[in-house]
Amino acid sequence: MLDQRDRKILDLLQRNAGMPVAEVAEQVALSPSACSRRIQRLEEAAYIRGRIAVLDRERIGVPTTVFALIKTAHHSDDWIETFRKSISDIGEIVEAHRLTGSYDYILKVVLPRVEHYDVVYRRLVKRIELFDVSAFISMEVLKSGEALPVDYAR
């Protein structure tokens, strides 16, 4: 069971995974060794799945975001697994979600420029049959981030 200190540690680390343990400890009113043990326990319990560096998309050269909405006529487990494999090694596809409603999947695609979407599209449709693909260009990011609300953690 998590307490308020655990939640605060999770919140601090997800906003800056490189924060020194001593600084985390100070912000949650623990000794560095006690804080380090809590962090280790949170990692072992899989609350913390890993630590990553968040790269600047402009500097990396992929400032453009396109969302591709996909409809398919296939819904078998085999087709879904083939679809999963088809998108897994296309680096520009950074997220994929199965949906309810009019579309079956949404892909978040990051690109150097809009014109590059056709390259990704062609790679995808060579690998798997799709009924319909509709692409939408993101004009502006209003909110972005990986930070999760920690209040619900049990």
Side-chain angles (χ1 to χ4, degrees), residues 31-95:
S31 71
S33 60
C35 185
S36 179
R37 284 191 299 273
R38 280 186 183 238
I39 293 169
Q40 183 176 2
R41 189 189 73 215
L42 292 166
E43 288 173 336
E44 289 168 357
Y47 286 97
I48 300 171
R49 293 189 335 196
R51 299 183 193 204
I52 63 167
V54 178
L55 306 180
D56 183 292
R57 288 183 41 196
E58 291 278 339
R59 305 243 335 152
I60 295 300
V62 288
T64 304
T65 303
V66 172
F67 292 95
L69 288 165
I70 295 173
K71 289 183 182 180
T72 181
H74 307 282
H75 299 281
S76 71
D77 290 343
D78 289 341
W79 188 92
I80 293 169
E81 187 57 32
T82 301
F83 180 66
R84 187 185 317 271
K85 288 177 182 173
S86 297
I87 63 174
S88 68
D89 68 342
I90 300 175
E92 294 90 344
I93 299 174
V94 295
E95 286 188 37

Side-chain angles (χ1 to χ4, degrees), residues 17-31:
M19 182 182 286
V21 172
E23 192 175 327
V24 175
E26 183 179 320
Q27 292 198 35
V28 296
L30 287 171
S31 71

